[in-house]
Amino acid sequence: MAARKTPDKTLGESLRDIGLSRRGFLKFCAATASMMALPPSMAAAIAAALEQARRPSVIWLSFQECTGCTESLTRSHSPSVEELIFDFISLDYHHTLQAAAGEAAEAARLQAMETNRGEYLVIVDGSIPGPDANPGFSTVAGHSNYDILMETVEHAAAVIAVGTCAAFGGLPQAKPNPTGAMSVMDLVKDKPVINVSGCPPIPMVITGVLAHYLTFGRLPELDAYRRPMAFYGQSIHDRCYRRPFYDKGLFADSFDDEGAKLGWCLYRLGCKGPTTFNACATMRWNAGTSWPIESGHPCLGCSEPGFWDGGGFYEPVSVPIGTSTTTLLEAAAVGAVAGAGIATVARKGKKDAVKTRQPVTIEELEQKL
């Protein structure tokens, strides 16, 4: 991919050049509205905006990561990665997807920055060793991740942190954090930053954020962790098809017991759905085929800050220190069912107790339920 000035043609003109019909274009806009949790009536507004939008230059930086976020992107189906790269954005730099290597690759990044000064988007996946860390922990072309990040974002329009490593520090930041790993928002303070967390994120969430930017020329509404509300506005638990079993107090106690075979709630097996905010339950994976809980595995909470240090993956959701067994039992008694009562207390105390949680043992959980 050679760096180039964002084309003069609008997106609508480019799509017509490749033979996309007006009907097909409107169908895509309707799907985009649905994906971004907008009413169907917004499809016409999206169509009008995209007709006039111009493809933005995008520079994708990969730092302390596993390439899982790029792997996720390549499995997007609406729009597909081919459509995203060739029709919607001008992807001018990406280690994994670009043809150029070595000096030619770095020249492409610098040219894209200069040619599209003040207009390009920077996408980052992977955490960054901070300014006080050994710069040799992670380098590209002989330069530290930190130096490349700060140089690249200086004249960017906005920055999108893709994946939990870029958004919150991720696995590299897990205790004792030997590389001094930091998140993008810890380092970039003078540019709009949006976090698309997940390990990896859902591919359509990545492309959906880009589609929103193309449509409205701005970043979407964000939550307290700078994640798009359209995709992270509700918990996994609230959208889970197993929720009725939780409300009835029906839980699988092992991965092969009768409850597991009947599709009962995986709360006792460590499901972090009640404290995890993502769109997995509604958008699912592999072109909408399935998702971990539907496959019989509890949610790991991978879109949340610090999930890697939050205790065992197969231990029940933690509860705040100071929330006694008696309090939880009273909530269960007052609520319509045990699960609903505990969920109410957990949601109320979660915000103030993020840093003071302790794991619940199986024995304690059984007493509460």
Side-chain angles (χ1 to χ4, degrees), residues 11 15 20 23-51 53 76-80 83-84 88 204-218 220 230-231 283:
L11 181 57
L15 293 175
L20 182 68
R23 182 181 181 87
F25 178 64
L26 291 175
K27 184 177 180 181
F28 167 78
C29 293
T32 301
S34 175
M35 180 174 63
M36 294 190 295
L38 297 173
S41 58
M42 284 297 295
I46 291 174
L50 291 182
E51 278 280 3
S76 178
H77 64 281
S78 181
S80 70
E83 292 171 331
L84 183 71
F88 297 100
M204 286 182 63
V205 174
I206 302 174
T207 57
V209 169
L210 291 171
H212 187 285
Y213 186 83
L214 279 169
T215 301
F216 301 107
R218 56 179 172 79
F231 303 110
M283 302 186 77

Side-chain angles (χ1 to χ4, degrees), residues 295-318:
S295 301
H297 194 282
C299 168
L300 300 181
C302 73
S303 59
E304 299 304 304
F307 86 94
W308 48 90
D309 285 328
F313 287 151
Y314 301 104
E315 296 175 359
V317 169
S318 301

Side-chain angles (χ1 to χ4, degrees), residues 3-338:
R4 53 195 180 277
K5 177 66 177 178
T6 304
D8 292 331
K9 285 187 177 181
T10 66
L11 181 57
E13 291 169 342
S14 298
L15 293 175
R16 284 191 290 275
D17 286 347
I18 63 173
L20 182 68
S21 68
R22 178 66 179 172
R23 182 181 181 87
F25 178 64
L26 291 175
K27 184 177 180 181
F28 167 78
C29 293
T32 301
S34 175
M35 180 174 63
M36 294 190 295
L38 297 173
S41 58
M42 284 297 295
I46 291 174
L50 291 182
E51 278 280 3
Q52 301 303 316
R54 301 184 186 281
R55 294 194 304 163
S57 172
V58 173
I59 297 174
W60 183 301
L61 303 175
S62 298
F63 295 135
Q64 292 189 127
E65 45 80 33
C66 66
T67 314
C69 297
T70 292
E71 290 286 346
S72 180
L73 174 70
T74 61
R75 285 153 180 78
S76 178
H77 64 281
S78 181
S80 70
V81 68
E82 294 85 359
E83 292 171 331
L84 183 71
I85 292 174
F86 295 114
D87 300 333
F88 297 100
I89 65 174
S90 178
L91 188 59
D92 292 327
Y93 181 86
H94 190 302
H95 288 171
T96 306
L97 301 178
Q98 65 190 19
E103 293 181 358
E106 293 310 300
R109 177 176 65 88
L110 295 173
Q111 183 182 335
M113 290 163 53
E114 181 60 31
T115 306
N116 301 286
R117 191 181 181 94
E119 299 176 353
Y120 60 89
L121 293 176
V122 175
I123 298 179
V124 181
D125 73 304
S127 62
I128 305 98
D132 298 327
N134 184 333
F137 282 139
S138 184
T139 65
V140 177
H143 298 279
S144 71
N145 290 174
Y146 174 77
D147 287 343
I148 291 176
L149 172 67
M150 303 313 288
E151 176 188 48
T152 306
V153 303
E154 183 178 2
H155 299 294
V159 184
I160 302 174
V162 169
T164 299
C165 290
F168 305 129
L171 183 59
Q173 198 185 72
K175 296 175 183 177
N177 190 9
T179 66
M182 300 179 71
S183 69
V184 173
M185 66 179 178
D186 287 335
L187 298 170
V188 178
K189 302 295 186 180
D190 59 346
K191 300 291 179 183
V193 176
I194 180 172
N195 290 325
V196 183
S197 60
C199 192
I202 300 170
M204 286 182 63
V205 174
I206 302 174
T207 57
V209 169
L210 291 171
H212 187 285
Y213 186 83
L214 279 169
T215 301
F216 301 107
R218 56 179 172 79
L219 297 176
E221 180 186 1
L222 307 178
D223 69 5
Y225 291 123
R226 301 190 189 180
R227 300 176 298 190
M229 288 290 292
F231 303 110
Y232 298 89
Q234 288 182 283
S235 71
I236 295 287
H237 183 67
D238 287 338
R239 306 194 215 191
C240 183
Y241 74 99
R242 295 182 188 242
R243 175 64 185 268
F245 294 112
Y246 178 95
D247 291 339
K248 293 177 182 177
L250 299 175
F251 302 92
D253 290 308
S254 71
F255 286 103
D256 59 355
D257 69 4
E258 195 61 28
K261 294 175 183 178
L262 294 172
W264 288 0
C265 179
L266 302 174
Y267 180 83
R268 288 180 177 173
L269 297 179
C271 184
K272 306 302 188 290
T275 57
T276 302
F277 292 77
N278 210 334
C280 302
T282 51
M283 302 186 77
R284 300 186 292 181
W285 296 78
N286 299 322
T289 301
S290 186
W291 59 299
I293 289 177
E294 189 172 347
S295 301
H297 194 282
C299 168
L300 300 181
C302 73
S303 59
E304 299 304 304
F307 86 94
W308 48 90
D309 285 328
F313 287 151
Y314 301 104
E315 296 175 359
V317 169
S318 301
V319 296
I321 292 174
T323 303
S324 67
T325 299
T326 303
T327 302
L328 290 173
L329 286 172
E330 289 173 352
V334 173
V337 292

